[in-house]
Amino acid sequence: MTETAPLRGSARTKDAALLEQRTPNRNTAPPRKGSLGALLRGLLRTARPKQWIKNLLVAAAPAAAGRLFSRHSMAQLALVFALFTACAVAVYLINDARDAEADRAHPTKRHRPVAAGQVPVPVAYSLGAALGVLTPTASAWLVSPEVAALLSAYVGMQLAYCVSLKHVLVVDLVVVTTGFLMRAMVGGLALGIPLSRWFLITTGFGALFMVSAKRYSEAVQMAGKTGATRALLTEYSTGYLRFVWQLAAAVAVLGYCLWALEEGRARHTGVLPWRQLSMVAFILAILRYAVFADRGTAGEPEDVVLRDRALALIALVWLAMYGLAVAHW
């Protein structure tokens, strides 16, 4: 009896040592890289420049109204683009600071600058909070109170999403979709352009189509695997997400066709009925995008469009037709 006790104690000691090796120490922060250049590069990466392309949607309402290419409009839209981007960066910084602990245990997110220690958590929080407060305030003075209110609502909604709403079924889809819709609305608010019901319906459901297609693709790719990147994916069924993106695509197409066929609002002075013809390109674009959604490979919308030449070509043709249709209003 006297010999077995030490052996059992030794076994327990070895097991504890192995467990300690396999389990990361959550209380130990990664080493910080003190170089100012490294900090600035880390901040730039955290700002996610690749995502800024989404903010080009601020030109959607002026383009739909045929008021895109005046000098005043271009200057205002450039300013609104910068302001909206600053608000988005504020959310990215606060989100990464809040999730730094969890990101360090993730196979890919651990390379994010905040999680890796390249950007200290207090710096990310401070800069994010400053941008989140100062940007809407500046927009009230530089643009209009309406734009300031929308930007404030965007920051508040996105922060609520980071904290809790991303864990609520359906609400998470609505919040992300609303973020896209706000981008499309802000340009119209800045220039005092009325937003038509068809514009809001087509833009809103088009955004829901892309958001739900991305979620569906993530769910398909993670099927049968552990450690989903989004905890909520385990709560959605692929059948439900497929239903959502199919429904959203149908409503977006219907809204666009009703706009294109609406009588009395357009003055057809062109050689061809570009507004009606643009329906063909729009529907083709939706159908082509749906191919990737159905395969479960519809990731970030900008990646889907830029990586598929056929879809990019269809999008360019639609833009040309849409521009001619708007020009002949």
Side-chain angles (χ1 to χ4, degrees), residues 1-32:
M1 295 294 293
T2 56
E3 294 181 0
T4 56
L7 289 174
R8 290 176 181 172
S10 175
R12 284 196 296 269
T13 303
K14 290 179 180 179
D15 291 342
L18 288 173
L19 182 62
E20 184 177 357
Q21 290 175 2
R22 293 173 182 172
T23 305
N25 188 354
R26 294 182 177 272
N27 296 324
T28 303
R32 295 181 179 180

Side-chain angles (χ1 to χ4, degrees), residues 189-204:
L189 291 178
L191 297 176
I193 298 171
L195 302 173
S196 74
R197 61 187 183 276
W198 303 127
F199 174 81
L200 294 175
I201 290 171
T202 304
T203 305

Side-chain angles (χ1 to χ4, degrees), residues 136-154:
T137 304
S139 67
W141 177 59
L142 295 172
V143 188
S144 70
E146 292 79 10
V147 171
L150 187 143
L151 292 179
S152 298
Y154 173 81

Side-chain angles (χ1 to χ4, degrees), residues 50 64 88 122 126 128 138 148 166 186 198 200 221 256 263-264 281 283 311 320:
K50 188 178 179 180
S126 300
K166 64 182 177 182
V186 71
W198 303 127
L200 294 175
Q221 293 170 12
Y256 189 89
E263 296 292 338
I283 295 171
L311 182 56

Side-chain angles (χ1 to χ4, degrees), residues 269-310:
T269 59
V271 177
L272 294 172
W274 295 113
R275 193 160 76 152
Q276 288 78 10
L277 288 175
S278 70
M279 290 189 303
V280 178
F282 184 85
I283 295 171
L284 282 176
I286 293 291
L287 292 176
R288 181 71 182 182
Y289 199 103
V291 170
F292 300 98
D294 185 66
R295 292 175 181 171
T297 58
E300 293 291 344
E302 61 272 18
D303 291 338
V304 177
V305 175
L306 295 176
R307 289 178 181 176
D308 184 65
R309 293 182 180 179

Side-chain angles (χ1 to χ4, degrees), residues 70-227:
S70 70
R71 182 175 299 178
H72 171 71
S73 296
M74 296 294 287
Q76 283 291 95
L77 289 176
L79 178 58
V80 170
F81 175 86
L83 291 169
F84 208 106
T85 299
C87 287
V89 170
V91 175
Y92 295 147
L93 287 165
I94 294 175
N95 176 73
D96 284 8
R98 185 178 181 276
D99 292 346
E101 190 75 15
D103 287 348
R104 289 175 192 137
H106 193 275
T108 56
K109 292 182 179 180
R110 62 189 177 88
H111 299 297
R112 287 180 173 178
V114 180
Q118 188 176 359
V119 176
V121 170
V123 172
Y125 269 127
S126 300
L127 185 56
L131 286 174
V133 173
L134 294 177
T135 303
T137 304
S139 67
W141 177 59
L142 295 172
V143 188
S144 70
E146 292 79 10
V147 171
L150 187 143
L151 292 179
S152 298
Y154 173 81
V155 172
M157 182 183 68
Q158 293 299 320
L159 291 179
Y161 175 83
C162 295
V163 173
S164 62
L165 295 184
K166 64 182 177 182
H167 303 299
V168 183
L169 282 171
V170 181
V171 174
D172 71 310
L173 296 175
V174 173
V175 170
V176 179
T177 299
T178 304
F180 281 97
L181 186 58
M182 285 181 167
R183 287 174 170 90
M185 292 171 59
V186 71
L189 291 178
L191 297 176
I193 298 171
L195 302 173
S196 74
R197 61 187 183 276
W198 303 127
F199 174 81
L200 294 175
I201 290 171
T202 304
T203 305
F205 280 94
L208 180 60
F209 165 57
M210 291 186 290
V211 170
S212 54
K214 180 184 176 184
R215 290 287 193 276
Y216 173 79
S217 298
E218 291 174 342
V220 169
Q221 293 170 12
M222 292 305 299
K225 299 179 182 179
T226 57

